[in-house]
Amino acid sequence: MPSTTSIARPSRRTDVSRPSSRRSQTTRISGKLECAAQAQVLAQKRRIPLATKYNVNSNVAASPAKISLPRTLPRPVLGEVDLSSLVNAYPNFTGIPADYIRERLPSSTHNMRAALQAVEISVCKSSLPKELEILMNDVVAAACPTHILAVYNDAPLGFGQKRHVSLFPVHDLVLRVHCAGLPTLPLSQPSTSSSHATIPVVPLRLPSPETFPLLHAYLYTRQPATLLASLAHPCVSDLVQLATHASKIHGLWRNACTLGVVDPQLYDVIEASWGSTIAAMQACS
């Protein structure tokens, strides 16, 4: 509801002998209204309501809408991965600190990344299977994925709609050593001696499945500059496009928090990208 200002109605009797009292009262009222207006302006500056002529949920021009975004994305408290789950899958890492493994892993993930690109997955069933077979070749056999993540979100579905699931081949070592909040993965040691390998399928609910490839790729390379370049906002003055880009950064941040990613550099990149995008939105609002 719009705010209103109540001013007491003066009595019908007019006192002409004290004109300074009336001027003083008028001055006090004007001063109060001016202070209230300034307080309202300062309160608006503390928020980031960004006005646009377009509804962000539609490409059609509509009545002015407001996009309210936080100035910063809070950095989660970084814990540490459960070494027991890592050692159970990889006994050779017994007694080795997880941060030591994280620092040296990117130098040995070239074959892993090549194998991920070479894997072909096809599902011909309406329900999600517990296992899938992948075709084995020399590239895949060099660093065969251990699991297939079935990534989805829990957004409400309309009548007759089906849940969309995206499948991603992964190496559990990379995920286990980086993600303190990773759900339990079944042990998997796919055989590479035949033409096919059977890989367990693991359902994984994430806030933003569409941005999981960004996070997944970063965990293999740990190259902040590459991730920062992929999160650079478009050089436009279109608030809707910038808001769409902001949702991409926000989705990446939510996924990282959900999985408990233990990597300060990742959150440095997210904070820098978010701040740059918010500044660009403020400049064109």
Side-chain angles (χ1 to χ4, degrees):
M1 294 179 60
S3 60
T4 58
T5 303
S6 299
I7 302 176
R9 185 175 60 186
S11 64
R12 293 183 179 180
R13 182 179 176 180
T14 304
D15 188 357
V16 296
S17 63
R18 299 177 64 183
S20 60
S21 175
R22 179 178 299 177
R23 287 196 300 270
S24 176
Q25 181 180 7
T26 303
T27 302
R28 286 198 300 271
I29 294 174
S30 300
K32 289 181 179 179
L33 293 177
E34 183 178 355
C35 290
Q38 291 177 353
Q40 185 177 7
V41 171
L42 291 175
Q44 291 176 348
K45 288 183 178 181
R46 283 193 289 266
R47 299 190 300 270
I48 311 180
L50 303 168
T52 173
K53 295 182 179 180
Y54 299 95
N55 189 320
V56 295
N57 296 320
S58 173
N59 292 326
V60 182
S63 58
K66 285 187 177 180
I67 308 169
S68 295
L69 298 175
R71 290 184 181 274
T72 59
L73 297 178
R75 182 176 299 219
V77 177
L78 302 182
E80 187 52 275
V81 299
D82 184 0
L83 290 180
S84 63
S85 65
L86 181 66
V87 172
N88 288 339
Y90 298 93
N92 292 338
F93 290 140
T94 302
I96 302 178
D99 57 349
Y100 181 90
I101 302 173
R102 278 195 297 271
E103 290 297 328
R104 285 151 181 78
L105 189 58
S107 61
S108 60
T109 59
H110 176 75
N111 289 341
M112 292 182 180
R113 288 182 280 129
L116 294 181
Q117 295 178 356
V119 169
E120 295 181 5
I121 301 176
S122 61
V123 180
C124 300
K125 300 179 180 179
S126 57
S127 59
L128 191 66
K130 293 183 178 180
E131 295 179 334
L132 281 174
E133 284 192 346
I134 61 174
L135 182 65
M136 193 62 59
N137 55 41
D138 293 341
V139 177
V140 176
C144 184
T146 58
H147 297 78
I148 295 176
L149 295 184
V151 180
Y152 67 99
N153 63 21
D154 55 359
L157 297 176
F159 179 76
Q161 290 184 326
K162 293 183 178 180
R163 181 75 61 191
H164 179 73
V165 178
S166 300
L167 301 179
F168 298 95
V170 300
H171 297 88
D172 61 348
L173 172 59
V174 176
L175 295 181
R176 289 179 194 271
V177 79
H178 285 101
C179 304
L182 183 71
T184 302
L185 298 178
L187 292 177
S188 173
Q189 296 179 339
S191 173
T192 59
S193 59
S194 62
S195 59
H196 292 78
T198 302
I199 309 296
V201 178
V202 180
L204 179 63
R205 183 176 65 185
L206 288 178
S208 176
E210 60 274 12
T211 62
F212 178 72
L214 274 176
L215 178 59
H216 188 209
Y218 173 79
L219 295 182
Y220 278 78
T221 61
R222 295 191 70 188
Q223 295 179 353
T226 301
L227 180 60
L228 186 63
S230 66
L231 293 178
H233 65 78
C235 297
V236 297
S237 58
D238 188 323
L239 189 57
V240 176
Q241 290 188 37
L242 291 171
T244 301
H245 184 74
S247 69
K248 174 183 176 181
I249 302 172
H250 191 260
L252 174 64
W253 170 75
R254 292 182 66 195
N255 285 347
C257 293
T258 299
L259 290 173
V261 176
V262 184
D263 189 330
Q265 292 183 109
L266 171 65
Y267 299 102
D268 290 341
V269 171
I270 291 175
E271 290 173 2
S273 302
W274 183 258
S276 175
T277 301
I278 292 298
M281 294 177 71
Q282 288 182 291
C284 69
S285 64

